[in-house]
Amino acid sequence: MNRALPLVLAVALFMEQMDSTVIATSLPAIAADIGTSPVTLKLALTTYLVALAIFIPISGWMADRFGAKKVFRLAIAVFVLGSIACAFANSLLAFVLARFVQGMGGAMMTPVGRLVLVRATPRHQLVNAMAWLAVPALIGPIAGPPLGGFITTYFSWHWIFLINVPIGLAGIAMAGRVLPEIEAEQMKRLDTRGFVLSGIAASGIVFGLSVISLPALPPMVGIITVLIGVLAALFYRQHAAGMESPVLDLTLFRDRAFRSAIFGGFIFRVGVGATPFLLPLMFQLVFGLNPFQSGMLTFASAIGALAMKFGASRILRLGGFRQVLIISALLGSVFITVNAAFTAETPHAVIIGVLIAGGFLRSLFFTSTNALVFAEIGDREAGQATAIAAASQQISIALGVAVGGAVLEATAWLGDGTIGANAFTNAFIVVGLITAFAAVPFLALPPEAGSTISGHRRGVRGSQEAAQPAE
């Protein structure tokens, strides 16, 4: 495997993942500079998620139509331009528009980067490649808050965005040298109606869930927006059934491995999406830690994610996708639920140990599901698969934050009106139980599912052949 390929892709994705979370601790400083309130600005940041939701569905079509390498490099350039615009924004409107431009670039970087990796990597080496690609998605949300606090405290919030410029330019240059030339295909015209419906569906659900988890607008606004998104999704399903080349090909769900990976990953990400939201709040509101101390504790999950990278391929070869995904989903839910037992007196070493183990299991699960998505589909369908997987990830993470926030608010409403330790205990128990259900979609998978990628069946067959006497 050309190790430089996933590393170049991972650097670009790390920039995106880091940027989407690093802003959280800098909201007050940014809001003060551009003359708005932190609450209003936090709602404005959801425009980034909306842009992702709108443009992710056409990422596969763009890559097939214009070439994956060209689209990936262009996506980095758009993201960098959006970053520069964010740094120089002097009003709420300018900041909102700049974040939308960033989201347009980010919508193409993740799915198209994954598509390049799938098409350029032999199937039996895909797990190792996906392990490298999964690391930025896990480290970014964890490292973002402490880095954002450090930059804002000791430098200026503008550098949160400006540091993307040299990273992005280096990514464009390295992608030009390392990424293989994947020729564009002769595609049919863009399914414009499908693009509009899918954009309304995904953005409506993501924006609505974000509003529900934020206090800037009444929850009813979020509920109505989610319902509009769900209705658009139903219309899209009816539309796609009569289309020869829809913007998102839902017939891929007929494949058992693909269907299990998408549904199982969706459920698992609800818990994982809630955890980076709940942990810093609990550390700061209940334990009395400052943002930097909180960020240094949550960063422990990244150690587990990095450690997994060296063992994912061997673990899947020994256990196969079905067994590994069921076990990692169940154990991952346990380590999310264990967070409910943390108190201010819990030794930091214990917290760090739990977070490292949880990070290892989450990274193993994500690496496995990301590879299983492509295990039994052809290269021609890979573009569609990446778009569907990326869209489902954004919706599930937004749902996780909404669920975590809803449990906190419900506990406070039923109690004395304050969000205390009991609220976080309930939230972690709820999202932990939800995460456990991620094992259900994999129960119906045969043991040899995805064996061309995991090598599990080949390993069993090789052992059987070795045990037979020579003729």
Side-chain angles (χ1 to χ4, degrees):
M1 183 182 69
N2 179 9
R3 296 187 184 277
L5 174 60
L7 282 176
V8 169
L9 296 173
V11 168
L13 303 188
F14 178 77
M15 176 177 64
E16 177 197 353
Q17 292 289 336
M18 178 72 74
D19 188 87
S20 63
T21 56
V22 75
I23 303 173
T25 52
S26 308
L27 284 178
I30 300 175
D33 264 13
I34 65 176
T36 187
S37 68
V39 172
T40 303
L41 184 62
K42 193 171 185 180
L43 182 59
L45 293 180
T46 60
T47 56
Y48 180 86
L49 301 177
V50 171
L52 288 180
I54 291 174
F55 291 101
I56 279 176
I58 64 167
S59 59
W61 182 86
M62 290 281 291
D64 289 336
R65 177 66 178 83
F66 300 106
K69 178 179 179 178
K70 184 184 297 183
V71 172
F72 182 75
R73 298 179 73 196
L74 179 62
I76 299 177
V78 171
F79 188 86
V80 169
L81 290 175
S83 298
I84 296 173
C86 284
F88 289 95
N90 57 5
S91 68
L92 179 62
L93 177 61
F95 191 79
V96 167
L97 294 176
R99 286 294 286 172
F100 191 85
V101 173
Q102 267 194 316
M104 291 173 61
M108 298 292 167
M109 278 201 294
T110 299
V112 175
R114 189 174 299 168
L115 176 61
V116 171
L117 193 65
V118 170
R119 289 182 172 172
T121 305
R123 288 301 175 99
H124 68 280
Q125 295 180 342
L126 190 59
V127 172
N128 278 332
M130 284 293 181
W132 282 98
L133 205 61
V135 170
L138 291 159
I139 296 180
I142 296 166
L147 180 62
F150 179 82
I151 291 176
T152 304
T153 301
Y154 297 103
F155 296 95
S156 167
W157 67 265
H158 303 83
W159 287 102
I160 291 174
F161 302 102
L162 292 178
I163 59 174
N164 290 331
V165 177
I167 298 174
L169 293 177
I172 293 173
M174 292 301 298
R177 296 183 58 183
V178 174
L179 267 58
E181 294 289 347
I182 301 176
E183 295 184 1
E185 300 180 4
Q186 292 296 325
M187 298 288 295
K188 295 184 178 180
R189 294 177 59 184
L190 175 65
D191 173 20
T192 307
R193 184 180 179 187
F195 170 54
V196 172
L197 286 174
S198 65
I200 294 174
S203 62
I205 294 173
V206 170
F207 182 77
L209 291 173
S210 299
V211 168
I212 292 172
S213 63
L214 295 175
L217 292 176
M220 186 53 64
V221 174
I223 294 173
I224 293 174
T225 309
V226 169
L227 291 176
I228 292 174
V230 171
L231 186 62
L234 295 176
F235 279 125
Y236 177 80
R237 181 180 179 183
Q238 183 179 8
H239 163 78
M243 284 288 296
E244 182 180 351
S245 300
V247 66
L248 291 176
D249 188 1
L250 301 183
T251 61
L252 288 177
F253 283 96
R254 296 173 183 171
D255 181 84
R256 183 167 47 187
F258 178 84
R259 183 173 64 247
S260 299
I262 295 296
F263 289 151
F266 184 95
I267 299 171
F268 194 83
R269 281 184 177 86
V270 171
V272 173
T275 301
F277 165 72
L278 293 172
L279 272 178
L281 282 179
M282 184 176 70
F283 289 155
Q284 295 175 49
L285 297 181
V286 180
F287 295 2
L289 302 180
N290 63 42
F292 185 71
Q293 292 171 325
S294 169
M296 293 307 295
L297 275 182
T298 57
F299 188 72
S301 296
I303 300 174
L306 287 170
M308 180 285 313
K309 178 182 66 63
F310 299 101
S313 179
R314 180 175 299 177
I315 292 172
L316 281 171
R317 187 164 58 249
L318 293 174
F321 278 107
R322 180 182 183 273
Q323 186 173 350
V324 168
L325 284 167
I326 291 173
I327 294 174
S328 60
L330 294 176
L331 290 180
S333 72
V334 169
F335 279 94
I336 289 177
T337 308
V338 167
N339 294 330
F342 291 160
T343 67
E345 289 73 35
T346 303
H348 287 183
V350 174
I351 295 176
I352 290 172
V354 170
L355 296 182
I356 288 175
F360 179 90
L361 291 166
R362 289 196 294 273
S363 188
L364 175 61
F365 184 91
F366 286 146
T367 297
S368 302
T369 51
N370 290 342
L372 185 61
V373 164
F374 305 99
E376 297 179 2
I377 64 172
D379 286 344
R380 293 185 63 86
E381 291 81 28
Q384 289 279 349
T386 56
I388 292 174
S392 69
Q393 289 172 17
Q394 292 300 323
I395 294 174
S396 60
I397 292 174
L399 179 59
V401 175
V403 169
V407 176
L408 292 181
E409 294 292 339
T411 304
W413 183 75
L414 293 173
D416 59 3
T418 61
I419 298 178
N422 188 46
F424 287 98
T425 298
N426 293 338
F428 279 118
I429 291 175
V430 169
V431 298
L433 290 175
I434 292 174
T435 306
F437 284 97
V440 174
F442 304 108
L443 295 175
L445 282 179
E448 69 276 7
S451 58
T452 55
I453 291 180
S454 67
H456 178 58
R457 186 173 57 186
R458 291 198 305 273
V460 172
R461 182 182 300 170
S463 299
Q464 292 172 344
E465 290 175 354
Q468 294 176 354
E471 295 182 0

